[in-house]
Amino acid sequence: MSGPTQQDMGGEAQVEQDTSQPVKLERARVRRLCVAMYVTACAAHLAALYGLAVYLDDSEHSVVPLVIMCIALIFDNLTVAVGALPAVSDRFRLVLEYMGRIRFLVVMLAWPFLMTWHWDLACHCGVATAATASLAWHLGMFLVGFFILREVAFAVRGMPEADNTTRQFGDCMPTNALIGGSFRADPDIFTTEGLVVFRPYPPRAGAFAPAGLAIMSAACIGLLFPVFSGLGMHGCVLLAGVGGCLACRLRANMGKGNHMWSHVAEVVWIAAAAGQLYFCQAHGRFQLCYDGAAA
């Protein structure tokens, strides 16, 4: 595969040519601020991993799904932060592109694990039944298997070269390919933050469904905790975290903040999830849910 061209960079070269010196200085300041935020997010997720590693010593509740999510988010933030480095060669841009491809697949596959973990936590804390948690676990594993099998289909059959070609069973549509297909530097992220972050082009259909299911699950469980957990105000930790997460994402999507607000939202979310687990354990509300892969 050849290195990304100026066209693949999604308008990066054109943006650089059209900016005056004061604008470049302002962008450099914004870039440093954003990189500091992404590095801080990595540190926050590392701190969460440390806490979970300590918690694993004396708990029957599996926090492996949460650990998987933290590792995926650490790689996600590192990939975005590396995009601040000057792309001095086509080979380095190719490295950024491959990091973007891996980031896209890893994070998307990690979200179903976080969804299953929320329902498992609810079951252990007595706000959801074992059957519901088991159903959520099977749904999450179905999503993981679906996207992995789709990658196998792409590896075996490949992507049609043109949209008007005849489709055969096993062919991947251009909007469905994850690792394959075209990845370009996101022009919006480069314009607002000065970072080179490769994303699928055109955007992949349905790729963000796992994240949507995870946030919906967290919101539903967050509403159940204050009512059924018996933790009082401590039962609102997850709900408050989900509210803060949605507020940060809304700020980013409405154009009132940079892309980094989505990463801040994930830090708030993970911290609230771990905090809810801590209070459930501290108040003696933790109980055996069921024996199985998600317990």
Side-chain angles (χ1 to χ4, degrees), residues 61-76:
H61 175 57
S62 174
V63 294
V64 173
L66 196 56
V67 170
I68 292 174
M69 192 71 241
C70 287
I71 294 175
L73 293 177
I74 289 172
F75 183 78
D76 180 18

Side-chain angles (χ1 to χ4, degrees), residues 215 218-219 236-250 265 268-269 272:
I215 191 66
C236 301
V237 173
L238 181 60
L239 182 60
V242 172
C245 173
L246 291 176
C248 292
R249 286 186 175 272
L250 182 63
V268 174
W269 185 358

Side-chain angles (χ1 to χ4, degrees), residues 207-227:
F208 299 101
L213 289 174
I215 191 66
M216 288 177 58
S217 297
C220 292
I221 295 169
L223 291 172
L224 293 175
F225 257 98
V227 180

Side-chain angles (χ1 to χ4, degrees), residues 7 12 22 37 53 67 72 78 121 127 137 146 205 234 241-242 255 272 275:
Q7 182 180 2
E12 174 191 346
M37 292 292 294
V67 170
L78 284 177
L121 172 66
V127 301
W137 185 84
F146 170 78
H234 291 157
V242 172

Side-chain angles (χ1 to χ4, degrees), residues 69-91:
M69 192 71 241
C70 287
I71 294 175
L73 293 177
I74 289 172
F75 183 78
D76 180 18
N77 284 278
L78 284 177
T79 301
V80 178
V82 170
L85 298 177
V88 295
S89 65
D90 288 342
R91 179 173 296 181

Side-chain angles (χ1 to χ4, degrees), residues 23-285:
V23 174
K24 289 182 179 179
L25 292 176
E26 177 64 18
R27 179 177 297 151
R29 185 188 67 82
V30 173
R31 182 189 297 118
R32 289 193 295 269
L33 174 62
C34 293
V35 171
M37 292 292 294
Y38 291 126
V39 173
T40 302
C42 287
H45 292 308
L46 284 172
L49 279 178
Y50 174 78
L52 293 173
V54 174
Y55 185 80
L56 275 172
D57 295 337
D58 58 353
S59 172
E60 297 179 354
H61 175 57
S62 174
V63 294
V64 173
L66 196 56
V67 170
I68 292 174
M69 192 71 241
C70 287
I71 294 175
L73 293 177
I74 289 172
F75 183 78
D76 180 18
N77 284 278
L78 284 177
T79 301
V80 178
V82 170
L85 298 177
V88 295
S89 65
D90 288 342
R91 179 173 296 181
F92 181 72
R93 294 192 179 211
L94 186 60
V95 171
L96 291 179
E97 179 183 346
Y98 276 118
M99 289 183 67
R101 291 174 182 271
I102 297 173
R103 161 186 176 263
F104 187 73
L105 179 62
V106 168
V107 173
M108 189 203 61
L109 293 180
W111 284 117
F113 287 97
L114 184 61
M115 180 192 71
T116 63
W117 183 85
H118 278 92
W119 286 105
D120 192 35
L121 172 66
C123 179
H124 278 287
C125 295
V127 301
T129 64
T132 303
S134 178
L135 178 63
W137 185 84
H138 285 91
L139 175 60
M141 295 307 99
F142 170 79
L143 291 174
V144 172
F146 170 78
F147 286 113
I148 291 177
L149 288 176
R150 193 166 71 172
E151 286 307 302
V152 173
F154 172 77
V156 174
R157 299 292 304 182
M159 179 188 296
E161 295 182 358
D163 290 342
N164 57 0
T165 57
T166 303
R167 309 297 186 189
Q168 300 182 30
F169 180 78
D171 284 344
C172 287
M173 304 298 130
T175 57
N176 288 338
L178 290 176
I179 294 300
S182 176
F183 272 61
R184 297 183 181 180
D186 191 312
D188 293 331
I189 297 179
F190 183 80
T191 301
T192 58
E193 302 183 9
L195 305 177
V196 179
V197 180
F198 279 85
R199 284 184 166 183
Y201 183 85
R204 305 302 188 239
F208 299 101
L213 289 174
I215 191 66
M216 288 177 58
S217 297
C220 292
I221 295 169
L223 291 172
L224 293 175
F225 257 98
V227 180
F228 299 105
S229 67
L231 297 177
M233 291 299 296
H234 291 157
C236 301
V237 173
L238 181 60
L239 182 60
V242 172
C245 173
L246 291 176
C248 292
R249 286 186 175 272
L250 182 63
R251 179 180 176 86
N253 294 335
M254 292 181 63
K256 295 181 179 180
N258 293 330
H259 174 72
M260 65 179 181
W261 281 104
S262 296
H263 295 256
V264 173
E266 293 162 356
V267 172
V268 174
W269 185 358
I270 295 298
Q276 194 65 79
L277 174 61
Y278 168 79
F279 284 117
C280 185
Q281 175 80 8
H283 287 262
R285 297 289 180 175

